[in-house]
Amino acid sequence: MHQSNERIGTIAAALARAQAELMNPEKTLTAVIRSPFPREDDRTFRYASLASGLDIVRKTLSRQEIAMIQTTRIEQPTGQIYLTTLLAHASGEWISSDLPVCASKEVEAPHRMGAALTYARRYALFALVGIAGEDDLERLMSSRDLQRSASLSSRQGRKERRLQGF
C-alpha cells in the first residue's frame, strides 16, 4: 500500500531528478525456478543483489536530499510481517509503501525469514525508485504459461463483472 504526505511536489521533483540519473544495477546473480511438472524445464533468471542496488540508490538519492529507510513491523491480528520502505526528502515530504513479507511464525526458521526479507527489501526499493533488478519473468514463461495466465485473468474479470452486476 502506498502512503505519503498530502503534498508531494518537492519530493516528486527530486525523485524525478534522481530517476534521470539512476541506472539499473548489474544482474550478477542467477536463480532457478524449479518446474513442478516433469515435462517442463526449469527456468533461470538473473537478478541484482540488494547490496548493489543499495549502493546505486543511496548515492543517487542523497544527491537529491532523499533518504531511504526500510523498517519492519508485525501486524498483530494476522501475525504478518510487513516491510515499510520510506523515501524522505529534506523538505519534510515523504512517500512510502508497505509490502507483506512473511508470517511471523517464520521467525522460527530465521534463514527463511531472512531470505524473504531480503527479497522484499530489494523488490520494494527497486519498485519505489523505478529501477529493474531482475530479468523480465514473462519473457521466461512458455507460451502455454502465458495462455494459462491470460485465461485465468479473463475468467477472473468476467467473475468480477458478474459480481458487480455488469
Side-chain angles (χ1 to χ4, degrees), residues 8-134:
I8 60 168
T10 305
I11 191 171
L15 186 55
R17 288 189 301 274
Q19 286 175 333
E21 294 178 37
L22 278 171
M23 296 179 57
N24 293 331
E26 186 177 351
K27 300 168 194 163
T28 58
L29 303 173
T30 303
V32 177
I33 301 172
R34 304 264 181 235
S35 174
F37 307 106
R39 295 184 193 148
E40 290 186 10
D41 293 334
D42 294 341
R43 296 184 188 102
T44 61
F45 67 96
R46 297 173 308 124
Y47 66 100
S49 71
L50 173 61
S52 66
L54 284 170
D55 287 344
I56 294 167
V57 170
R58 283 183 187 135
K59 289 174 187 170
T60 307
L61 292 183
S62 67
R63 287 193 291 269
Q64 301 301 326
E65 298 184 306
I66 300 172
M68 184 277 305
I69 304 162
Q70 290 186 305
T71 60
T72 57
R73 66 179 164 76
I74 297 176
E75 190 78 19
Q76 291 305 323
T78 63
Q80 181 73 34
I81 296 175
Y82 281 84
L83 170 73
T84 299
T85 301
L86 172 78
L87 299 181
H89 189 259
S91 67
E93 294 179 358
W94 57 272
I95 58 173
S96 71
S97 70
D98 285 336
L99 183 68
V101 176
C102 62
S104 59
K105 65 182 179 183
E106 295 295 328
V107 172
E108 298 165 9
H111 64 284
R112 280 196 302 226
M113 186 186 72
L117 187 55
T118 299
Y119 179 89
R121 288 183 66 201
R122 182 175 52 246
Y123 273 79
L125 175 62
F126 291 6
L128 200 54
V129 300
I131 59 176
E134 70 287 329

Side-chain angles (χ1 to χ4, degrees), residues 1-18:
M1 175 171 64
H2 164 264
Q3 297 176 333
S4 68
N5 289 90
E6 211 171 289
R7 295 178 182 215
I8 60 168
T10 305
I11 191 171
L15 186 55
R17 288 189 301 274

